Structure formats: structure tokens, C-alpha cells
Amino acid sequence: MNSQFHHIGVVTRPNTPHIRQTLHELVDFLYAQDIQIYLDADAVAENLVDEHSLQQCHVISKDEMGRQCDLVVVLGGDGTLLSVARKLAPYRVPMIGVHQGHLGFLTQVPRESMVADFAGMLTGKYLPEERILLETVVQRDGAEIKRALALNDVVLSRGGMGQMIEFEVFINGEFVYTQRSDGLIVSTPTGSTAYALAAGGPILQSTLRAFSLVPICPQSMTNRPIAVSDTSEIDILVTKGGDARAHFDGQSYVDIHSMDRIQIRRYRNTLRVLHPTDYQYYKTLRQKLHWGEQLV
């Protein structure tokens, strides 16, 4: 096989049925193609890899994969891919997801056909998608207290006390509205089928260059979701925060105080996700969201 990729990283999702067998099959296949394999150190620490597979791999951290690899394979669900994507974003390393989770909007290679699909994908038989990310800076008293990336969404939400929060929203410096609600979801097209969809937001086609702003249980029923260009810079001033928080892909967060400012914009790099050649975006939506099948 004449592979386009010669240094491939492998990340696994812990506590997943049959993950050891899946990892063993993948490593054996890649090793037979004379590919340098870089295994996530967490998989070794969690005893997910047998001694035979371990001898065929270099063991490195997720943080090092962006510098060492020209492709990263994620064995897991969308949550695992999200966490790895944020680490790889600065390096523009493409990713392939092997579905081991629940929904699988991003992890499109079925576990059952993994080796057959990879045999074609490594030689260029794949469909690439460029996914935009969000970059967020949280400021307090004019100083930066948090900087984070998100592939799905940035969520400003109320905390454990359950009190509504109040905030002002600006887009490209222009005042948009004041809102009193449980929070606000700023979503990429990738995240539009996640929390934003559950909160009543629109589904944005995956390669659309746009964000959606989706209120969470607003006090005023006239506060509706809006979509804006991905060139927009979104500025949120929290005027009454209580114990509010800002969440990034639901996997990290920072506590928000009154008068904190949350600045959100498109990250400079996109994430390149590779799909099998039979991938169909709307077929995925039908299957995952249980839409009706074609009648004729």
C-alpha cells in the first residue's frame, strides 16, 4: 500500500467494550503497512494495549501528537474526538474517527469495517471536511483569565444556585440585545446538532461558515436563535452573573463573575475530518435524529 500518511497517532476512549481488540486490530494493520504508530500514553496507563501491540508503537502524550503525526485516529465517540481536536487544532493535523460511542456524528468509520475502510482512506479514498472552531477569551477587569478552543460550542450558563443571569451581546462592536435567561449557547455548525439543537437552535450544515446564538430558557419569548457569519466577533458582557460559568465543549469551564467579558471568534485554523467515500451528511442526520426514510 502506498499510504499518504506515514506517522499516525492513535487515541482510545477508556471504559469502552472491545476497545482492546479494536486497538490490536488497528495497530496490526498499520504496522503491516510500515507506518510509524504513535499511541496515546493514556491507553498504556489504563492497560488498554497488549504487549505485542505495544512493541509496534511509540508511546507519546496527546499534546505531542500534533508535532509528531500527520494523521490521528480516534477510537471512541464524539466526546473523545472533541477533546483531541482542541489539542490538534494549532497543528492542522487531520483526524479519522472510528465509532465506539453513542451518537457518532463525527466518528464515521464503523468498527465492523474499520480495516477495509482504512485500506482505502490511507491511499486517498476519503471525503475531507473542514470544520470551524471557536476561540474564546474571558476577561476580568481588563485582564485575560481564560483562553480556550471549542469545536462544538461555548455555553454561558447559570450555576448551581439556579438564578437567571443577565448579559449584553455585541456583534462586531454593535449592540444586539440585553438578555435575562439561563444562558446562551454560541455554536459552530458541528455543535448545532448537540446542545444548541436541544435548546431549539437551527441545524447548520456542517461546512457552513456561520455561528448560531441560541438562548437557554430566556425570560422573554421574543429572544430567538440567530445565525451570523463566522467572520463575526461576538462579545458578551455579563452584567449579573451570580455563580455563572462558561463551558467549552462541555469538557472544561471557567467561573464567571459580574462584569466579566466573554469574547468569541472563529479560530484561525479549521479541523480537517476525513470520512469514508460513502459518507452522506443528510443520511447521518436521518439515522441519528430518526427522521423518516424516503418513500419512493
Side-chain angles (χ1 to χ4, degrees), residues 133-170:
L133 297 96
L134 299 169
E135 182 176 29
T136 303
V137 174
V138 180
Q139 292 185 334
R140 180 172 301 153
D141 298 326
E144 180 181 316
I145 64 167
K146 178 74 172 181
R147 183 180 293 265
L149 298 180
L151 178 58
N152 263 359
D153 49 41
V154 177
V155 179
L156 171 64
S157 68
R158 67 180 186 176
M161 293 179 63
Q163 297 178 339
M164 281 190 170
I165 54 179
E166 296 178 358
F167 51 90
E168 297 177 348
V169 175
F170 301 80

Side-chain angles (χ1 to χ4, degrees), residues 55-68:
Q55 292 176 355
Q56 298 172 328
C57 302
H58 308 279
V59 178
I60 62 175
S61 69
K62 294 184 186 71
D63 293 320
E64 295 176 303
M65 285 194 175
R67 293 185 289 269
Q68 300 286 343

Side-chain angles (χ1 to χ4, degrees), residues 225-262:
I226 61 175
V228 299
S229 166
D230 75 337
T231 60
S232 302
E233 295 191 1
I234 301 163
D235 201 356
I236 304 169
L237 177 63
V238 181
T239 53
K240 185 178 179 181
D243 60 342
R245 285 180 170 177
H247 300 260
F248 312 101
D249 282 344
Q251 296 180 338
S252 65
Y253 69 87
V254 62
D255 291 324
I256 298 296
H257 298 173
S258 295
M259 304 312 295
D260 283 357
R261 189 176 294 273
I262 304 170

Side-chain angles (χ1 to χ4, degrees), residues 77-92:
D78 288 349
T80 309
L81 193 143
L82 287 172
S83 65
V84 179
R86 294 193 301 274
K87 293 182 181 297
L88 295 182
Y91 304 98
R92 295 187 57 82

Side-chain angles (χ1 to χ4, degrees), residues 171-198:
I171 297 177
N172 295 330
E174 179 182 347
F175 175 69
V176 180
Y177 54 60
T178 296
Q179 188 177 121
R180 179 176 166 83
S181 67
D182 285 355
L184 182 71
I185 304 166
V186 180
S187 172
T188 66
T190 300
S192 70
T193 52
Y195 190 12
L197 180 61

